[in-house]
Amino acid sequence: MLDELPLVLDRDADEPLSVQVAEGLRAAASNGLLRADDRLPSSRALAQRLGVSRTVVAAAYDQLHAEGWIASRRGSGTFLTTAPAEAPARPSFRSTAEHPPELLDLGPGAPCIEAIDQAAWRRAWRAAADNSPIIRKDRGGEPEFRAAVAEHLLRHRGLGAGSRTVVLATAGTSSAVGELAAALLRPGDAIAMEDPGYQRAAGAFVAAGVRVIPVPIDADGLRVDRLPDGIKAVYCTPAHQFPLGTRMQAARRVQLVEFARRAGLLIIEDDYDGELRYDTAPLPLLAAMAPDVVVHLGTTSKILSPTLGIGWLVAAPDITEAIVAHRERTGTGPSPAGQRVLAAFAHHGDLARHLRRLRRAVPPRRALVVDELRRRGLDVLGDDAGSHVVVPLDSAETEQRAVAAGRARGVALDGLSRHHLAAQHHPLATAAGPHTFGIALGYTALSWTELTTAVPIAGECLTQAWVQPNSRATKGMLSGSEPATVAL
């Protein structure tokens, strides 16, 4: 029942008040304010609200009852029984996820929920709830969260936040990209991005009116020699390139930093899957090499859960001041609730223990995927890191067949084609070289039982999708405008 029905009566009109009440209720049903099975106020209560006699409302109800609009239920009240066909339907609360929930999702970019110590997770939420409500939130982030992130970055990523850099809380990577674009760039400015690359980051730039220029990658990472003149920034994922799964080599990192300093541009380093390395120690962060030209972005969405809805940004003080000023102007900023949970999770060492557990739990999953695919004669690309591998394919048609076959078998597969920053996807983007085709196959979203079911199905779908099973697409997989041979 609506607490307040939008009924307005005109006591100077020739039309009787009871007719006006009836017409108002019909209108409320027609425009969706009242729907079938909604309970109406009692005649006494509605009469008091409208300032009329109960007889007026009773007469209106009698008319609507005669027309079949309402019905009385003994002991329950009066209810609307019907509404016109054009009345708006009730809101749908179905999931807006890309894949229906019944599909086993082998897409990349998901956390390994099974590795989370549930007792520690609940303890962190309880500790966060013990804090008193705040009156005004700190636009830069909760102090205990920023301290926890600084400690995490120092111990696990080799990045010290000192006098030259400042840690800010964010609402995640895409949100941080949008804030950087709003605070530092102007509509029409150009930035360079890896192609294929992270579509949500590209979307955040485009939403701010920034022009996205795709730049190809090769086995060593972003092609610095293909960066155009006139750009204001470069966005890249050097730790574990998304979606191709390679890491930017040391020499290429030095080359990129030198280019940025010469050109006076900013490097936006998205540390995608940076904590997830299983074979060797990670290469130095770009932010550790060149804090003067690098903005470092991180998130809890991959190492813990997107439930928290938080991340972090590390940059020079002038950049962080511009972002905080933007938040003050717009009244925006990350929620303190998720920050408090992470701070509590890190306080007693649970975050460090979780990362160690994660590095033990994920490699067997990767091995399961790689072994199954190679047993079928399929090529597998990607460093021994992160949460996904890539199976290269020879054409868009083969990729589409594999995705369709997987869906028909109840498994969601992610084609590389959709990760290209082509002009048809982003009107402000500039197309780069030819597309690469394949499947980015993740192994962290599912439970171990689900994974052992889904991976053989995926292998069958990929094998059957090949038109020419003896051909392989590894050569030229990481190319610019001309083919390149890659050995990973």
Side-chain angles (χ1 to χ4, degrees):
M1 180 178 69
L2 292 180
D3 290 334
E4 294 292 339
L5 285 171
L7 298 178
V8 178
L9 303 182
D10 182 358
R11 287 169 168 77
D12 296 326
D14 295 334
E15 194 173 39
L17 292 177
S18 61
V19 174
Q20 294 184 44
V21 172
E23 288 182 348
L25 291 173
R26 289 192 203 96
S30 298
N31 62 27
L33 292 177
L34 284 175
R35 299 183 177 89
D37 291 327
D38 277 352
R39 185 163 66 90
L40 300 181
S42 68
S43 58
R44 185 187 303 276
L46 185 56
Q48 290 176 343
R49 292 179 191 175
L50 297 177
V52 297
S53 71
R54 185 181 178 187
T55 304
V56 169
V57 176
Y61 278 11
D62 287 343
Q63 180 61 36
L64 293 174
H65 187 276
E67 295 173 2
W69 283 90
I70 63 175
S72 298
R73 300 176 188 173
R74 186 178 299 275
S76 297
T78 302
F79 292 80
L80 188 71
T81 59
T82 186
E86 63 270 18
R90 289 187 181 274
S92 172
F93 295 100
R94 294 177 59 189
S95 171
T96 57
E98 183 177 346
H99 302 301
E102 65 270 13
L103 293 181
L104 296 175
D105 190 355
L106 286 177
C112 185
I113 299 300
E114 276 197 343
I116 297 177
D117 181 339
Q118 294 298 319
W121 179 251
R122 290 190 294 268
R123 183 166 57 246
W125 281 91
R126 287 195 298 269
D130 284 341
N131 286 279
S132 299
I134 61 174
I135 298 175
R136 297 183 186 277
K137 63 182 179 182
D138 188 330
R139 298 294 178 189
E142 297 292 290
E144 61 270 26
F145 169 80
R146 297 164 73 177
V149 168
E151 180 70 12
H152 165 75
L153 292 174
L154 179 63
R155 290 185 176 276
H156 298 281
R157 303 299 289 126
L159 178 61
S163 59
R164 301 178 65 187
T165 56
V166 176
V167 176
L168 292 186
T170 71
T173 300
S174 300
S175 175
V177 167
E179 289 186 319
L180 286 167
L184 304 179
L185 302 175
R186 297 178 179 178
D189 282 348
I191 65 99
M193 283 190 65
E194 301 160 323
D195 187 37
Y198 187 35
Q199 287 280 5
R200 288 179 180 171
F205 282 122
V206 170
V210 174
R211 188 159 51 96
V212 176
I213 301 180
V215 176
I217 64 173
D218 60 20
D220 291 335
L222 178 81
R223 289 278 301 274
V224 178
D225 62 313
R226 297 289 299 277
L227 289 173
D229 295 330
I231 58 175
K232 300 294 186 181
V234 178
Y235 172 94
C236 58
T237 52
H240 192 237
Q241 201 277 335
F242 184 85
L244 296 183
T246 60
R247 67 173 175 174
M248 186 181 292
Q249 298 303 312
R252 188 65 58 83
R253 295 175 187 233
V254 172
Q255 185 183 9
L256 178 59
V257 167
E258 291 176 346
F259 181 93
R261 284 172 171 161
R262 287 196 308 271
L265 57 84
L266 198 65
I267 301 171
I268 302 173
E269 176 185 36
D270 179 352
D271 196 30
Y272 175 79
D273 276 354
E275 291 91 349
L276 301 181
R277 294 206 67 84
Y278 319 119
D279 54 351
T280 59
L283 291 170
L285 292 173
L286 292 173
M289 296 170 56
D292 53 318
V293 294
V294 177
V295 175
H296 176 85
L297 304 181
T299 178
T300 60
S301 294
K302 307 301 184 294
I303 59 173
L304 274 171
S305 168
T307 303
L308 299 178
I310 53 169
W312 52 84
L313 176 153
V314 182
D318 59 329
I319 293 174
T320 57
E321 289 170 4
I323 292 173
V324 171
H326 166 73
R327 292 175 179 178
E328 290 288 356
R329 289 194 302 271
T330 58
T332 57
S335 169
Q339 298 177 52
R340 289 179 171 182
V341 173
L342 184 74
F345 196 71
H347 181 66
H348 296 294
D350 288 325
L351 178 59
R353 282 188 287 272
H354 170 71
L355 290 175
R356 291 194 294 270
R357 186 182 302 109
L358 196 61
R359 292 181 183 125
R360 293 192 301 268
V362 176
R365 292 167 168 265
R366 186 181 191 278
L368 171 69
V369 172
V370 172
D371 291 347
E372 175 66 26
L373 297 176
R374 286 180 175 164
R375 183 180 67 81
R376 296 178 178 274
L378 296 166
D379 293 325
V380 181
L381 304 182
D383 285 349
D384 190 8
S387 57
H388 76 276
V389 295
V390 170
V391 179
L393 299 174
D394 62 341
S395 67
E397 291 76 17
T398 304
E399 180 184 297
Q400 291 165 4
R401 280 196 300 273
V403 172
R407 184 173 291 275
R409 299 278 303 275
V411 173
L413 299 176
D414 187 19
L416 291 179
S417 294
R418 77 180 189 91
H419 297 291
H420 280 277
L421 310 179
Q424 62 264 31
H425 298 302
H426 296 291
L428 298 182
T430 303
H435 279 21
T436 53
F437 306 105
I439 298 295
L441 203 153
Y443 41 80
T444 52
L446 301 178
S447 69
W448 179 260
T449 300
E450 291 171 330
L451 191 67
T452 57
T453 299
V455 170
I457 296 174
E460 291 176 12
C461 294
L462 286 163
T463 303
Q464 294 168 3
W466 280 93
V467 176
Q468 298 175 325
N470 293 326
S471 67
R472 285 294 178 260
T474 304
K475 294 184 183 297
M477 184 70 185
L478 305 178
S479 62
S481 59
E482 64 282 347
T485 301
V486 178
L488 295 179

